[in-house]
Each structure stands twice: as structure tokens, then as C-alpha cells.
């Protein structure tokens, strides 16, 4: 059974870098054709895809955050990570990691972590 | 990035009602459209992928349709456990944007 678990600080100071890790069990992040992504939900708002990394290490980011976001993978540890720099209160959100599963040519987010709340505050 | 617009933003319904939610893409996305259900404090759940394919284990009262820019999620007979927020998401390009969500409440 595939499981994903987010970990990292729950409180980050403004202007600092938010760092989260997603530990994957039950599948390898280097398995062919899968992507692994980060999604967030600010309080009272909707879901926002942030960025993803492919099985081969290619990365993809939402345009609005591209200058501040890095998604990276650690194959030996079977983890992938999110770094978001120069954070502000607007980055306060529940952060989810998820797998982009696929069927034929169709991609979708089929497995999710439980989410972790990150608050940006001094 | 492709913009996704859902309507309505919220709706009130009763158990047994037929509910329809629409999603419009800012450009044609073929059938690269997924639907998710999200309840407070839980991870989102995939309902429909490729616009109309039901994810394994999802009740058949959920159905999806559409292609190009206009899509629909239908719940044929609303059940108590279906009160939640629903999101569409495009997977046409490697920039997987969501709609703003539709909250289904009593």
C-alpha cells in the first residue's frame, strides 16, 4: 500500500525558507512514468498545485511561484522535498504531497499525504 | 498557466438531490480533466479522471462528462457523506492547475 508522509517545521519566520520533505513507502519515486508533487491549501481557500518532479528528475512549477520554489528528489531515501524561499504570511497553508498516478496517457493525483500545516509568523 | 473556473462556488442541496458542478478551462484541454472531493481535515480524494473515467472504489452515483473547455461533474443522488468541496484539475500540460472549488452544503 502506497503511503506518503509530510514532515518539516510547522512554524517559519517571514523572509526565511520553508522546507518540507515527503517520505514515500510502498513505491519507488524513481519508478518509471510517475510524478511526485506538492499542493497547498491556504486557510479558507482552495487547492493550489505548487510543483512536481518526475521519475527522471525533471521539475515543473506553477508560474506564480517559480522564482521561489525548488522541488528535489532523494532516491536512496525515497523522499522528495519542497523548498519555498522568502516566505510571507500568504504562504501559510496546509501543504500536501501527492503522487501523479496514470492510466494510459492520463495523469491524476491518486495518493496523498495527510497534509501538514505551515504557519509563517515571527 | 491554464486557468480553471468552476461554478457555482457553493450550492445548497438535500439528500437525494441531483447535483451538477461545471468547470471551464481557459483553453482546450481535450479530456485531461480530473475531479476531486475534499473534506475538512482530510486529504483530497480522486473521483474522476480523463473527464469521465470513474476511479476504482468511487460510487457510481458520481459521473463526469465533457471535453475541450467545458466539463461537468454530476452526483445523481446526493448522500450525506457527499457534503464536501469539489475541485476540478487539468492535467493537459505539466502545470496541473485546480479550479477554485465548489462547496456542496445542506
Amino acid at each position: 500500500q502506497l503511503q506518503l508522509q509530510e514532515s518539516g517545521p510547522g512554524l517559519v519566520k517571514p523572509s526565511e525558507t520553508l522546507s518540507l520533505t515527503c517520505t514515500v513507502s510502498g513505491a519507488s519515486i524513481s519508478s518509471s512514468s510517475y510524478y511526485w508533487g506538492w499542493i497547498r491549501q491556504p486557510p479558507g481557500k482552495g487547492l493550489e498545485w505548487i510543483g512536481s518532479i518526475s521519475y527522471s528528475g525533471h521539475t515543473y512549477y506553477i508560474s506564480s511561484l517559480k522564482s521561489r520554489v525548488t522541488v528535489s528528489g532523494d532516491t536512496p531515501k525515497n523522499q522528495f522535498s519542497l523548498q519555498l524561499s522568502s516566505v510571507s504570511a500568504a504562504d501559510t497553508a496546509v501543504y500536501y504531497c501527492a503522487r501523479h498516478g496514470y492510466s494510459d496517457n492520463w495523469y491524476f493525483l491518486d495518493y496523498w499525504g495527510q497534509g501538514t500545516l505551515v504557519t509563517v509568523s515571527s | 498557466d491554464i486557468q480553471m473556473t468552476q461554478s457555482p462556488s457553493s450550492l445548497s442541496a438535500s439528500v437525494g438531490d441531483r447535483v451538477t458542478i461545471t468547470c471551464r478551462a481557459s483553453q482546450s484541454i481535450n479530456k485531461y480533466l480530473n475531479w476531486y472531493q475534499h473534506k475538512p481535515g482530510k486529504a483530497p480524494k480522486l473521483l474522476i479522471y480523463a473527464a469521465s473515467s470513474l476511479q476504482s472504489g468511487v460510487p457510481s452515483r458520481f459521473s463526469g462528462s465533457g471535453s475541450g473547455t467545458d466539463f461537468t461533474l454530476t452526483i445523481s443522488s446526493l448522500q450525506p457523506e457527499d457534503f464536501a468541496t469539489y475541485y476540478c484539475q487539468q492535467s493537459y500540460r505539466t502545470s496541473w492547475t485546480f479550479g477554485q472549488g465548489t462547496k456542496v452544503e445542506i
Side-chain angles (χ1 to χ4, degrees), chain A residues 35 39 41 45-49 51-53 60-64 96 100 102-103 105-115, chain B residues 1 29-34 36 38-39 41-46 48-50 55 87 89 91 94-101:
Chain A
Y35 292 65
I39 300 95
Q41 183 180 34
K45 297 188 177 182
L47 298 173
E48 179 180 50
W49 171 76
S52 297
I53 186 168
Y60 308 88
Y61 305 121
I62 189 170
S63 299
S64 59
Y96 296 96
H100 296 268
Y102 69 94
S103 176
N105 201 28
W106 314 103
Y107 275 90
F108 39 78
L109 295 161
D110 57 351
Y111 286 91
W112 296 67
Q114 279 302 108
Chain B
D1 296 338
I29 57 171
N30 196 335
K31 297 186 73 174
Y32 290 89
L33 192 283
N34 307 318
Y36 301 85
H38 193 201
K39 296 180 180 180
K42 301 219 169 180
K45 175 185 176 182
L46 175 68
I48 302 281
Y49 65 93
Q55 172 69 346
Y87 294 91
Q89 180 224 9
S91 59
T94 49
S95 177
W96 291 278
T97 45
F98 288 89
Q100 81 278 17

Side-chain angles (χ1 to χ4, degrees), chain A residues 4-18:
Chain A
L4 296 90
Q5 179 66 57
E6 306 89 351
S7 60
L11 181 65
V12 181
K13 288 183 168 55
S15 80
E16 295 190 345
T17 296
L18 179 160

Side-chain angles (χ1 to χ4, degrees), chain B residues 11-52:
Chain B
L11 64 90
S12 295
S14 301
V15 172
D17 284 354
R18 181 181 182 88
V19 169
T20 299
I21 299 167
T22 63
C23 178
R24 175 164 288 178
S26 59
Q27 67 180 75
S28 177
I29 57 171
N30 196 335
K31 297 186 73 174
Y32 290 89
L33 192 283
N34 307 318
W35 289 98
Y36 301 85
Q37 177 191 68
H38 193 201
K39 296 180 180 180
K42 301 219 169 180
K45 175 185 176 182
L46 175 68
L47 300 175
I48 302 281
Y49 65 93
S52 59

Side-chain angles (χ1 to χ4, degrees), chain A residues 2-54:
Chain A
L2 177 61
Q3 291 185 315
L4 296 90
Q5 179 66 57
E6 306 89 351
S7 60
L11 181 65
V12 181
K13 288 183 168 55
S15 80
E16 295 190 345
T17 296
L18 179 160
S19 296
L20 294 174
T21 296
C22 183
T23 300
V24 178
S25 58
S28 170
I29 65 168
S30 60
S31 294
S32 183
S33 300
Y34 290 109
Y35 292 65
W36 306 87
W38 289 96
I39 300 95
R40 70 180 181 180
Q41 183 180 34
K45 297 188 177 182
L47 298 173
E48 179 180 50
W49 171 76
I50 302 168
S52 297
I53 186 168
S54 74

Side-chain angles (χ1 to χ4, degrees), chain A residues 42-118:
Chain A
K45 297 188 177 182
L47 298 173
E48 179 180 50
W49 171 76
I50 302 168
S52 297
I53 186 168
S54 74
Y55 60 98
S56 59
H58 289 99
T59 52
Y60 308 88
Y61 305 121
I62 189 170
S63 299
S64 59
L65 297 174
K66 196 169 186 176
S67 62
R68 299 196 289 131
V69 174
T70 302
V71 176
S72 58
D74 186 334
T75 300
K77 292 184 178 179
N78 214 34
Q79 297 174 332
F80 62 103
S81 299
L82 169 71
Q83 288 193 307
L84 182 64
S85 63
S86 304
V87 296
S88 69
D91 295 309
T92 294
V94 175
Y95 285 77
Y96 296 96
C97 61
R99 185 186 81 166
H100 296 268
Y102 69 94
S103 176
D104 294 328
N105 201 28
W106 314 103
Y107 275 90
F108 39 78
L109 295 161
D110 57 351
Y111 286 91
W112 296 67
Q114 279 302 108
T116 186
L117 174 63
V118 179

